[in-house]
Amino acid sequence: MANHYTIDSEISAAFSEIQYLIQIIYSTGNPYARNLALNQLCNQTTHLKFLVQFLQTERNTALQQQAKPNATHPFQQTQTHTIPVQAGVEKNQIVPTQASRLPQPKNSPQQLYQSPRLLDQPAEAPYHSTEVLYQSTHIPYQSSRGLYQTPQTQFSSASNQSRQPYQIQEPSQSAQINQSAQPPFQPSRLLYPDVQRQRQIQSPTPAGNPNGQTFTREQLTQFTGMNGMPAYVAVNGVVYDVTNNAAWSLATHFGLKAGNDLTGEFASCHAGQNWILAQLKPVGRLV
Amino acid sequence: MKKLDIVLPPESVTNEAIAQRLYQAVTSGLESGHVKRKKLVWLELNGCSGNIISLLNGFQPDFEYAITQMVDIVYSNSMMVEDGEKAINRLFELAEGDEDFILGIEGAVALKNEGMYHLVGNRNGQPVTGLQAAKMLGEKASSVIAIGACAVDGGPSAARPNLSQSVGLQTVLDNREIIKLPGCPVHPDWFLGTLAHLLLYGQPELDQQQRPKMFYSDLLHDRCPRRPYFDKGVFSETLGEPYCLFKLGCRGPVTRIDCPTRQWNGHVNWPIGASTCIGCAQSGFPDRMAPFISYNTTRE
Ligand code: SF4
Ligand code: SF4
């Protein structure tokens, strides 16, 4: 049923695209940018309409299949159905009025999901088979340190349940996870068990600061965001975790390095922008 | 002209279609005398001449169209026929006369030893420094465009240890409004689009850092085709993988530019198609964007 999830994610991508475009229309004073956004909005709504129509057709077909119990589900039959949109166009003669003719935004997930490398994975492929990628979007993945916690997923799939789960969560959080219906499968791409183990040995957090409460400047310098150490920075006496902060790729930000007290730098570049700090995850205090 | 201001759906918004509409606007503008072909001075200062090479890759409009229809290039040390003193004299003619011209400068201004670390030529046996040329022409030109990272804020020319004490153009032309086009190099569309806007409609709308909003307003990370992987926390471990490149050092989240939708080399591909973004179109490149790649970032 990968197709189902592909369509689901296409629909949510179209919705975020529409929200994004509406924001643009609100915020820009430039008539050209506005026209462009309007135009894209038209494309997106057409695309959305098409996807909804497609889902309806699929449901109708499924109902018919139930009436004939021996037939296989149309979307599990052949490989041609792995690309749902195109297959749909041929099979059900749903013709998107504009979507096929007009340029689609480049970040449309459609392009990624259609890549043969993803879709042609055998079903047992460890974790980036489409099945696993799209199956579990509803269960929130709990990142212990992420800034972007919103759409992350916890991977759990029938074909992978035999695997030993690795935990990245702090003990209290993993207990909470274990209460969920399925045992959590967490693929190594996300978790890096070696790194985790290494960190537990290296990290002063468990020994020196059991709850990550206080850091000396010297302790802080060890949190460089490299070789398994998380990336911490201090601003105004509070230590924040920036390991997964988008603006801190490679634990550096415009030449600044993690593991430092950046109070002065923050004040000089982001004066009056305390909302930035509010988005970060505090992990302790600098003493 | 008025008809152009409204592009209602579902009119095509491909690069080609937009170029076609602009082309028609220019042609009718030239015919009616509404649009004038202006003079352009392209001055190369301390840098690698990468921007003029990149310009050769222009496509709709292409380079030939730019120099034959859009502007009249009166000075460019890479392209002009005159050389030596003759060429330098042309520069001084422009600085001293009252011709109207647009000045495009690529490369940083070397300050060390009163500019002696970068010379643009000789006049009457005396060396002419880049610093002198930038000041002289910068005060005279009707518009100044800083082309590329070096001209905008020093860029690679001013990278540590900055032996020539290079600085961006604004430092030596502190009272002038300069249109800034950071990028290493500048995409031909960013320059030609800005130039076309200047000719057709005057100065384009600029952001706080004086970059044209039409090119420099979207965050690269927001338009990246790998973004769904970032949101799910799926990161590439090596450069060949198709997932998000954040843990390898991608600077997309701090770079505002339209690379994902515009793309390079005739709009066919762009850095994140194969590797990370190194933030070349963001201020502070390259020192403040370093390191570019690392394999031992903490993942979780
Ligand atoms: S590859 Fe870079 S720009 Fe693209 S989503 Fe990842 S971090 Fe953002
Ligand atoms: S993707 Fe990044 S490094 Fe590459 S050209 Fe665009 S801004 Fe520069």
Side-chain angles (χ1 to χ4, degrees):
Chain A
M1 289 297 283
N3 292 294
H4 214 105
Y5 293 100
T6 312
I7 295 171
D8 274 354
S9 54
E10 282 234 12
I11 289 180
S12 53
F15 271 120
S16 7
E17 193 69 24
I18 287 171
Q19 279 166 344
Y20 179 80
L21 289 166
I22 290 175
Q23 272 173 23
I24 289 187
I25 292 172
Y26 267 114
S27 59
T28 181
N30 182 333
Y32 292 91
R34 196 171 284 174
N35 284 338
L36 266 174
L38 210 62
N39 211 310
Q40 290 296 325
L41 204 59
C42 175
N43 293 351
Q44 283 300 324
T45 42
T46 317
H47 186 52
L48 205 56
K49 194 169 161 196
F50 163 69
L51 288 170
V52 171
Q53 272 177 4
F54 184 70
L55 269 187
Q56 282 168 352
T57 325
E58 193 202 22
R59 198 181 46 212
N60 292 343
T61 332
L63 286 175
Q64 284 166 19
Q65 294 299 320
Q66 277 178 4
K68 294 180 273 173
N70 287 335
T72 43
H73 189 279
F75 296 106
Q76 290 170 336
Q77 280 173 350
T78 57
Q79 282 239 322
T80 49
H81 294 295
T82 47
I83 301 173
V85 175
Q86 293 178 359
V89 172
E90 285 161 18
K91 185 97 182 161
N92 301 315
Q93 297 301 312
I94 299 171
V95 181
T97 46
Q98 304 300 343
S100 63
R101 197 152 59 75
L102 286 166
Q104 293 299 312
K106 285 274 160 53
N107 67 346
S108 158
Q110 188 181 337
Q111 291 170 351
L112 283 169
Y113 300 154
Q114 284 179 356
S115 102
R117 172 155 177 201
L118 281 178
L119 287 173
D120 294 342
Q121 290 285 346
E124 2 14 284
Y127 45 73
H128 46 228
S129 80
T130 48
E131 189 182 356
V132 182
L133 264 178
Y134 304 121
Q135 189 159 34
S136 54
T137 34
H138 348 276
I139 311 168
Y141 161 72
Q142 296 211 340
S143 155
S144 62
R145 307 182 192 282
L147 167 66
Y148 283 88
Q149 287 171 339
T150 20
Q152 294 182 333
T153 41
Q154 179 196 334
F155 287 63
S156 53
S157 144
S159 61
N160 288 308
Q161 274 175 17
S162 56
R163 289 194 163 211
Q164 198 55 40
Y166 293 113
Q167 308 289 342
I168 61 159
Q169 282 76 21
E170 250 69 80
S172 60
Q173 284 171 319
S174 47
Q176 182 192 335
I177 295 264
N178 283 336
Q179 288 163 5
S180 64
Q182 290 191 323
F185 165 69
Q186 291 159 334
S188 59
R189 175 170 300 283
L190 285 173
L191 297 173
Y192 303 95
D194 294 345
V195 169
Q196 293 303 318
R197 262 180 236 128
Q198 203 184 343
R199 185 194 299 168
Q200 278 177 358
I201 297 162
Q202 286 181 352
S203 166
T205 311
N209 304 300
N211 300 314
Q213 278 167 348
T214 58
F215 297 82
T216 63
R217 256 156 227 274
E218 202 180 311
Q219 281 171 327
L220 184 63
T221 57
Q222 298 173 43
F223 292 89
T224 55
M226 290 290 159
N227 302 316
M229 294 297 282
Y232 289 171
V233 292
V235 178
N236 302 330
V238 181
V239 179
Y240 297 95
D241 185 338
V242 292
T243 315
N244 284 334
N245 186 315
W248 279 83
S249 190
L250 299 191
T252 52
H253 174 76
F254 287 93
L256 304 175
K257 292 195 169 79
N260 289 302
D261 180 1
L262 301 176
T263 306
E265 287 84 351
F266 185 85
S268 69
C269 296
H270 300 299
Q273 290 179 295
N274 277 346
W275 58 268
I276 297 177
L277 294 178
Q279 288 195 328
L280 300 178
K281 187 188 171 206
V283 284
R285 300 211 136 259
L286 191 66
V287 290
Chain B
M1 291 296 290
K2 264 266 104 34
K3 193 170 149 265
L4 274 171
D5 291 348
I6 308 153
V7 183
L8 284 177
E11 208 161 331
S12 178
V13 287
T14 56
N15 289 321
E16 290 74 16
I18 292 169
Q20 182 63 27
R21 283 198 287 270
L22 285 171
Y23 176 82
Q24 279 163 359
V26 178
T27 319
S28 63
L30 281 168
E31 275 166 12
S32 67
H34 175 84
V35 178
K36 287 205 181 59
R37 220 179 129 199
K38 283 199 180 176
K39 295 192 172 102
L40 174 75
V41 175
W42 183 292
L43 192 59
E44 286 174 41
L45 297 184
N46 197 9
C48 68
S49 306
N51 292 293
I52 199 151
I53 303 289
S54 171
L55 183 62
L56 294 178
N57 203 16
F59 172 66
Q60 287 179 339
D62 60 11
F63 179 70
E64 190 189 333
Y65 177 82
I67 59 168
T68 56
Q69 312 289 311
M70 287 167 73
V71 287
D72 177 15
I73 293 210
V74 290
Y75 182 92
S76 156
N77 52 332
S78 297
M79 287 182 296
M80 65 199 299
V81 179
E82 293 98 329
D83 61 358
E85 201 127 340
K86 253 192 193 161
I88 284 292
N89 282 338
R90 185 75 184 100
L91 213 55
F92 276 82
E93 251 171 52
L94 286 160
E96 285 152 12
D98 45 32
E99 289 169 76
D100 183 37
F101 65 94
I102 296 172
L103 175 65
I105 295 194
E106 74 168 302
V109 188
L111 295 182
K112 191 151 186 195
N113 288 4
E114 270 120 46
M116 287 301 279
Y117 274 56
H118 180 258
L119 302 179
V120 294
N122 281 297
R123 195 184 190 222
N124 306 330
Q126 292 294 314
V128 180
T129 65
L131 172 63
Q132 194 184 341
K135 279 193 167 164
M136 189 168 84
L137 293 165
E139 275 149 24
K140 214 54 203 249
S142 59
S143 319
V144 182
I145 312 176
I147 306 161
C150 293
V152 170
D153 64 356
S157 300
R160 275 191 298 268
N162 196 359
L163 295 172
S164 58
Q165 288 174 7
S166 287
V167 293
L169 206 52
Q170 193 77 71
T171 318
V172 298
L173 294 174
D174 38 6
N175 298 322
R176 254 219 89 118
E177 175 155 66
I178 297 176
I179 302 174
K180 293 179 183 154
L181 306 178
C184 194
V186 154
H187 192 294
D189 289 4
W190 306 339
F191 173 71
L192 291 173
T194 306
L195 188 65
H197 200 288
L198 269 175
L199 299 173
L200 277 170
Y201 315 109
Q203 175 148 313
E205 204 183 336
L206 305 180
D207 67 6
Q208 286 161 333
Q209 299 183 38
Q210 285 91 46
R211 302 170 298 187
K213 281 190 186 167
M214 56 182 171
F215 302 117
Y216 293 84
S217 50
D218 275 1
L219 196 60
L220 196 151
H221 181 60
D222 286 346
R223 299 257 122 195
C224 179
R226 301 189 189 224
R227 178 61 187 265
Y229 291 109
F230 178 89
D231 290 341
K232 290 192 163 58
V234 182
F235 300 116
S236 293
E237 288 172 70
T238 61
L239 287 178
E241 294 183 326
Y243 316 107
C244 172
L245 299 160
F246 171 63
K247 292 290 178 187
L248 294 174
C250 184
R251 300 291 171 189
V254 291
T255 306
R256 291 196 172 271
I257 190 58
D258 63 1
C259 289
T261 46
R262 181 166 306 279
Q263 309 209 344
W264 287 73
N265 298 336
H267 315 123
V268 295
N269 203 350
W270 66 305
I272 285 181
S275 177
T276 62
C277 166
I278 58 174
C280 80
Q282 184 55 274
S283 62
F285 175 83
D287 282 355
R288 304 179 82 197
M289 292 297 146
F292 294 153
I293 303 270
S294 167
Y295 283 93
N296 54 3
T297 325
T298 301
R299 297 154 180 273
E300 58 179 342

